[in-house]
Amino acid sequence: MRKNTIDGLKGQLNKNSKVSIIGHKNPDGDALGSTLGLHLFMKELGITSQVIMPNSSPDFLAWLPSIDTILCYDNDKAQCEEELDNSDFVFTLDFNHLDRTGSLGDHLQKLNTNFVMIDHHQQPADYAPYMLSDTSIASTCELVHEYITTQYPETKLTADIASCLYTGIMTDTGSFRFPSTTSKTHRIIADLIDAGANNSEIHQNTFDNNAESRLHLLGRALQNLKVLKDLSTAYISLSQDDLNQYGFKKGDTEGFVNYALSLKGIKFAVIFIENKAENIIKISFRSIGDFDVNSFARNHYNGGGHNNAAGGKSDLDLNTTLEKFEETLNNYRKELS
Ligand code: 5GP
Ligand code: MN
């Protein structure tokens, strides 16, 4: 599904415009790459913009250009609200429902501004008069690349912009291996390398900067792996005690679920992560092939995402969540076995 109503924006946006750019809660590579890439592009256009995130960014992306300019709603509520109240345009990137921004969403609902949505998730809400939404595209960074290169073909991408966009495409395509990766994705990547993105360095910065404790946490996650062979399903759980024991920092569990998916014959993989501070279990769902985890997350875990990658949460305790999950799975026996 594609919806493009962004063309009229160019005539409205100018050097006097005040722009805020927002990503979703617990920002990932695509949310950070797209917001920072667009922010740096606005700078090239001579337009002032401010990136605002609902909460802090993971350490493994701390090297991204201009990441230190981001305002974080959790730490700086008043300043974020002032920025937003004075914005003529609020870009929302890599999400399509305002409740994906946590408590910041309550303030966004009240704003009298022009929302612009650039996103690739399913079933977009209708808060944005200006939209570039395409669920067939692997990453929001690809859509930001489309937006800026089609609307402003005369403005060059800098190396920093290219690095930000490269990062989001790389992380949302699982380093260019998910089925959503197309020849067009690779052409955009070629364009970004030509513009100065250092591909090898970006991979190293992102994936080869592990703390020893993170690898031990991965070890624990793999010990906790449970395989339900007859349902082609494997899941991992991490309790708050596990996280505490290995000095968990935000972002440390990124990608763990893919180990469960890498097992031979597994079509559906899940990771359950206990968060005692928020009193929830955060869940990531991944699948290979036709099993639609977006619907699964929506129907059972108040979540959503894409056909092969989605997220959600449970308010029950960890053990009850796991028991209920196995019960629920039985209803999917036909699709999974
Ligand atoms: P992850 O499992 O890596 O957190 O997220 C996988 C995909 O699902 C991402 O596209 C993410 O934006 C989306 N997602 C994660 N958690 C939620 C959620 O609670 N609600 C919705 N609607 N989408 C989510
Ligand atoms: Mn994304």
Side-chain angles (χ1 to χ4, degrees):
M1 275 281 288
R2 183 175 166 94
K3 189 166 180 199
N4 184 354
T5 59
I6 210 159
D7 283 352
L9 181 61
K10 193 174 179 186
Q12 305 296 315
L13 201 59
N14 59 52
K15 287 187 178 155
N16 298 319
S17 306
K18 256 207 98 267
V19 171
S20 293
I21 305 173
I22 306 177
H24 55 76
K25 191 174 172 193
N26 300 325
D28 57 7
D30 195 28
L32 284 160
S34 60
T35 51
L36 290 169
L38 182 65
H39 162 70
L40 292 169
F41 188 75
M42 289 283 159
K43 214 178 206 175
E44 292 303 299
L45 295 176
I47 297 172
T48 309
S49 69
Q50 175 65 52
V51 178
I52 296 173
M53 286 294 172
N55 59 353
S56 59
S57 306
D59 276 0
F60 76 96
L61 293 168
W63 58 270
L64 277 170
S66 287
I67 197 164
D68 52 339
T69 67
I70 292 179
L71 281 177
C72 182
Y73 191 66
D74 266 3
N75 304 336
D76 255 323
K77 252 189 182 114
Q79 202 184 341
C80 290
E81 291 186 357
E82 193 184 328
E83 286 286 340
L84 289 165
D85 293 346
N86 292 325
S87 289
D88 304 304
F89 296 93
V90 175
F91 282 75
T92 66
L93 304 190
D94 202 33
F95 67 94
N96 60 19
H97 283 264
L98 296 181
D99 61 10
R100 289 283 289 128
T101 59
S103 59
L104 170 59
D106 299 337
H107 192 75
L108 295 176
Q109 302 275 9
K110 292 185 249 158
L111 280 184
N112 181 18
T113 190
N114 295 294
F115 281 106
V116 186
M117 179 201 294
I118 304 180
D119 180 62
H120 66 136
H121 292 90
Q122 307 211 351
Q123 291 146 291
D126 63 357
Y127 60 82
Y130 302 107
M131 264 170 96
L132 179 55
S133 161
D134 192 331
T135 55
S136 73
I137 302 292
S139 63
T140 298
C141 280
E142 283 176 68
L143 290 169
V144 168
H145 180 271
E146 177 188 331
Y147 166 61
I148 63 188
T149 55
T150 54
Q151 299 289 325
Y152 301 96
E154 69 289 352
T155 307
K156 271 195 147 175
L157 301 189
T158 63
D160 279 353
I161 297 169
S163 301
C164 289
L165 298 183
Y166 184 104
T167 303
I169 299 174
M170 173 186 79
T171 54
D172 261 28
T173 58
S175 298
F176 319 112
R177 69 199 172 96
F178 296 153
S180 50
T181 312
T182 62
S183 59
K184 193 173 161 211
T185 310
H186 285 288
R187 281 191 203 98
I188 292 172
I189 284 295
D191 185 34
L192 296 175
I193 293 174
D194 285 345
N198 186 330
N199 49 321
S200 176
E201 211 170 80
I202 291 172
H203 284 259
Q204 271 178 35
N205 286 343
T206 309
F207 300 119
D208 300 337
N209 259 322
N210 281 317
E212 197 180 327
S213 57
R214 179 176 184 250
L215 291 196
H216 290 301
L217 181 64
L218 172 62
R220 173 55 59 88
L222 296 178
Q223 280 171 351
N224 293 353
L225 174 76
K226 183 155 181 199
V227 181
L228 306 170
K229 240 189 179 150
D230 57 330
L231 288 161
S232 314
T233 297
Y235 70 84
I236 290 171
S237 59
L238 283 170
S239 68
Q240 186 71 59
D241 284 346
D242 289 331
L243 300 175
N244 294 348
Q245 188 179 346
Y246 295 105
F248 168 78
K249 286 190 310 314
K250 193 172 215 160
D252 277 355
T253 55
E254 193 79 31
F256 282 12
V257 66
N258 293 323
Y259 286 91
L261 198 63
S262 74
L263 281 165
K264 190 173 176 180
I266 292 303
K267 294 185 210 164
F268 183 30
V270 188
I271 187 166
F272 299 86
I273 301 169
E274 187 174 36
N275 181 337
K276 278 251 161 92
E278 293 188 19
N279 220 0
I280 57 159
I281 312 296
K282 183 71 190 132
I283 315 172
S284 290
F285 304 96
R286 299 290 186 269
S287 68
I288 291 174
D290 295 336
F291 188 65
D292 177 4
V293 293
N294 170 50
S295 300
F296 190 86
R298 264 172 208 276
N299 291 340
H300 303 291
Y301 296 96
N302 196 21
H306 312 283
N307 284 348
N308 295 126
K313 55 181 178 294
S314 159
D315 297 323
L316 304 170
D317 67 61
L318 184 57
N319 282 334
T320 317
T321 300
L322 299 178
E323 279 166 22
K324 282 240 166 187
F325 170 70
E326 291 204 23
E327 271 171 43
T328 305
L329 261 195
N330 275 314
N331 302 327
Y332 291 84
R333 199 162 275 280
K334 234 189 186 157
E335 285 171 64
L336 287 168
S337 46

